[in-house]
Every structure is written in structure tokens, then in C-alpha cells.
Amino acid sequence: MLYKEIGQNHQGDIEIAKKMIKMAKECGADCAKFQKSELEFKFNKRALERPYNSKHSWGKTYGDHKRHLEFSHEQYRQLQKYAKEVGIFFTASGMDEMAVEFLDELDVPFFKVASCDANNFPYLELTAKKGRPMVISSGMQSMATMRRVYQTVKEHNQNFTILQCTSAYPLDPEDVNLRVIAEYQKEFPDIPIGYSGHERGISITVAAVAMGAKVVERHVTLDKSWKGNDHEASLEPSELTELVRAIRLVERAQGTGIKQMLPCEKACHDKLGKSVVAKVVIPKGTVLSMDMLGVKVGEPKGVSPEDMGQLVGKAVTEDVEEDGSITPRMVDGYNNKG
């Protein structure tokens, strides 16, 4: 599943939010995701009252800033309705317990657990008990914590995934740590593992899919120059389109994991596949020894080189010319594996 983190890149404007939902659909994403907070439950009073002088600020205090960006329950219902009309799944990260309760009422297809709540075990337990699928980011956490996350959620909910994530915006390649995906796959083999990326560009995310990431989250924006911490680490529409194309290509290329000659290889095998040939003239009735046998591209196709050892000690049933292919029917008692 590929879903787009709109987060709060909508600038607090519901019309921009709708444009971003439509963009996610048009670019081929499976889901558009937002962030829902009930601010008095996510932050204490002093956190909301602290001055916020960043160039990205939408208010004098952090509370003013967050209130500007927070959609109401009714606006969320409008966005959900619009997403349904567009034909894309709609959900949000519940950034506190009360937000989870609202999203549950909204009947979202899955809950997203942000990295900042991955070690919030009361929150995890409450969310898991709702019974909806869960996607859990793991930024800022240790493996020991993620083992506890797995055990806590698993007790109440079998349907969840863990995403490798590094919580920096934008993220330098040296800090992505894609190898954690493989470690999670070993630690938690019974759940899908995914990737939440905050890096610039798409190459690293495509690599994550090639490593087996089954769920992918990337932030999106309509303009990287807009005010907000996340825009620089987000993908614009052209990048999102290319990412979706590349991921679908990698998914097609994953295959079954079964190594065998495929039908598409038959033409090459017929043209260039090698066979056992006679190094010398071999009269009818001769018992074959290894020094009589060589390997070349032969016409007609003969015994496969990998079965050469099976020919030794067996008699030929007809004359074989020098440089001629040795076919299965020429050798008495040869067990042709086909």
C-alpha cells in the first residue's frame, strides 16, 4: 500500500486540502492521510502558550500556530466525503486518545500511529482495542521499545504493520537506515514491514520497496516553497507520480522467489543454451568416459551440461560423430530429467 501524508501541508485551508487529496489520487496513491489532534489533549497549557517565532509559524504562540492548522470535526467529514467522491481512501494520524476516538467514529480504514506515540503504551493499547488495522511509525525509538510495541499491539490486534522511520525533516541519506527494514522482518516475521520516508527525492523509497517494504508513506505538497516544516521533505506532484510509477514497477519485478527457467527465457535457451557434444568419434556400443565429452552450443540440443556426469559409464546406442550433439536417446540407461 502506498499512501500520501498530507499532514498539515494544507496550510489550514480546506480547499488546498481537497486539491491535495485529488492530487494524491491522480498520481496513483492508495490513500490520503492527514493529522488529527485535539490540542488540549495532545499538549499541556505551557506547551500551547510558549512563543513560536519560527519562520514557519502561523501564530505568536505554538497553540495559535496549531489552531490555525487544525481542521474541525465537520471539516474532516467534508474531506472524507470528498475523498470518497474522488475514489481514494482517507485517514489520519490520531495524535492523542481523543483524536483516535473521533477517527473511530469517522470509520477510517486504518489508524496511523505517529512516531511520537510509538512509545505511548496506554495510547497503543486503546487504539489496538478498537480493532482497526494499524500502521505504526518507529522514528525516535529503539529495537527494545519496538519489541514491546509489537507485543502490546499483538495482544489486542493481529492486523498491524511497523514502518522504519527516522524523524528528521528533511532526512539525510546517512540517517535513513534502510537495513532496519531487514531487522524488523527478522524480529517480526508475521507482520508486514514498511517505510516512512522524509528524505528528498524518490530513490531511497524505491530501494525500501525493493527491500520488501509493503507499506510506504511519503509526505506530499503542492509547493515546496510554502511555509511549514514538512514541505522541504515532501514530494511535489511530478515526483509523486514518478514514485508511484517506480514502486509499481518494482512490485512487478519482485517475482515469486522460485528460481527456475521461465517461459520468457526459452528463446535464449534454444539459441544459446549449451549441450554435451562428442570430442571424438564414438562408435556404437562404446562406454562413455569424461575425456570423450565436451560442452558447446549444439544443434540439435543435446544432454544438458549439468547432467554430463550421468553419461559416464553408459554405452551409446548409435555412432556419434566428432563434434556431434549427444542426445538422450543415444545413451542407454540415461535418465533424462527433461
Side-chain angles (χ1 to χ4, degrees):
M1 179 179 71
L2 174 64
Y3 71 88
K4 297 297 105 185
E5 169 67 89
I6 293 172
Q8 296 190 323
N9 281 354
H10 47 68
Q11 314 294 83
D13 186 324
I14 195 167
E15 294 306 317
I16 291 176
K18 288 179 179 178
K19 288 179 182 178
M20 297 181 79
I21 291 172
K22 187 175 182 182
M23 178 264 281
K25 171 63 177 179
E26 290 174 344
C27 293
D30 299 307
C31 182
K33 188 187 80 66
F34 290 77
Q35 295 175 4
K36 183 69 186 95
S37 300
E38 303 293 347
L39 296 179
E40 287 72 22
F41 289 89
K42 180 180 178 181
F43 301 97
N44 70 9
K45 291 181 180 179
R46 291 188 65 179
L48 290 172
E49 292 169 356
R50 72 173 183 251
Y52 192 51
N53 301 316
S54 165
K55 65 180 181 179
H56 300 302
S57 174
W58 293 96
K60 292 182 178 180
T61 67
Y62 197 64
D64 291 338
H65 166 75
K66 296 300 288 185
R67 278 185 280 271
H68 172 84
L69 294 172
E70 194 64 45
F71 289 139
S72 68
H73 288 193
E74 179 54 35
Q75 287 174 313
Y76 261 86
R77 292 187 180 94
Q78 290 179 40
L79 292 174
Q80 183 185 48
K81 180 181 177 183
Y82 181 74
K84 186 174 182 179
E85 291 170 358
V86 168
I88 191 170
F89 288 115
F90 172 89
T91 193
S93 299
M95 307 301 286
D96 54 80
E97 287 88 339
M98 293 307 296
V100 170
E101 295 292 350
F102 169 66
L103 294 173
D104 193 40
E105 292 175 16
L106 211 58
D107 197 24
V108 295
F110 65 91
F111 290 129
K112 169 65 196 298
V113 177
S115 291
C116 58
D117 279 308
N119 63 349
N120 182 351
F121 291 97
Y123 167 98
L124 286 174
E125 188 170 347
L126 178 146
T127 306
K129 286 179 177 179
K130 298 293 185 184
R132 296 184 187 276
M134 294 171 64
V135 176
I136 305 168
S137 279
S138 61
M140 304 176 285
Q141 311 304 329
S142 67
M143 183 62 84
T145 297
M146 294 314 299
R147 290 190 191 104
R148 187 178 167 194
V149 169
Y150 170 86
Q151 292 164 357
T152 300
V153 175
K154 188 79 172 178
E155 183 179 348
H156 306 287
N157 191 334
Q158 305 296 308
N159 193 358
F160 67 102
T161 179
I162 291 174
L163 311 185
Q164 162 54 4
C165 175
T166 303
S167 298
Y169 308 82
L171 175 61
D172 291 332
E174 293 79 9
D175 295 323
V176 172
N177 210 356
L178 284 181
R179 287 194 175 97
V180 173
I181 293 173
E183 294 304 307
Y184 281 164
Q185 289 166 337
K186 287 189 288 187
E187 287 279 343
F188 316 121
D190 59 335
I191 64 169
I193 300 302
Y195 174 68
S196 174
H198 306 135
E199 73 279 0
R200 298 177 179 90
I202 69 170
S203 299
I204 290 171
T205 300
V206 175
V209 174
M211 292 178 69
K214 303 300 184 186
V215 177
V216 171
E217 174 188 277
R218 286 299 305 268
H219 289 246
V220 294
T221 182
L222 296 179
D223 189 336
K224 291 184 183 183
S225 68
W226 279 356
K227 183 163 67 173
N229 291 310
D230 288 353
H231 291 287
E232 192 177 351
S234 300
L235 301 177
E236 291 182 340
S238 61
E239 293 175 298
L240 176 56
T241 298
E242 178 58 21
L243 175 62
V244 173
R245 187 202 67 80
I247 286 176
R248 300 308 182 209
L249 189 64
V250 170
E251 287 174 340
R252 288 171 54 200
Q254 294 284 354
T256 63
I258 300 171
K259 184 57 184 172
Q260 59 185 342
M261 187 168 72
L262 298 175
C264 66
E265 297 178 291
K266 188 176 185 303
C268 184
H269 178 264
D270 290 347
K271 181 179 179 181
L272 298 175
K274 293 191 172 181
S275 302
V276 178
V277 299
K279 285 185 177 180
V280 295
V281 173
I282 305 174
K284 178 181 177 180
T286 301
V287 175
L288 294 171
S289 59
M290 192 63 78
D291 60 354
M292 300 176 186
L293 308 175
V295 176
K296 292 185 178 181
V297 175
E299 181 61 40
K301 274 280 178 283
V303 172
S304 174
E306 66 197 74
D307 290 343
M308 186 185 292
Q310 292 186 34
L311 302 179
V312 174
K314 294 181 174 65
V316 292
T317 59
E318 58 187 86
D319 293 336
V320 185
E321 63 182 1
E322 182 181 350
D323 204 41
S325 299
I326 298 180
T327 62
R329 65 179 177 80
M330 294 178 174
V331 183
D332 186 31
Y334 168 67
N335 179 24
N336 179 20
K337 296 191 296 185

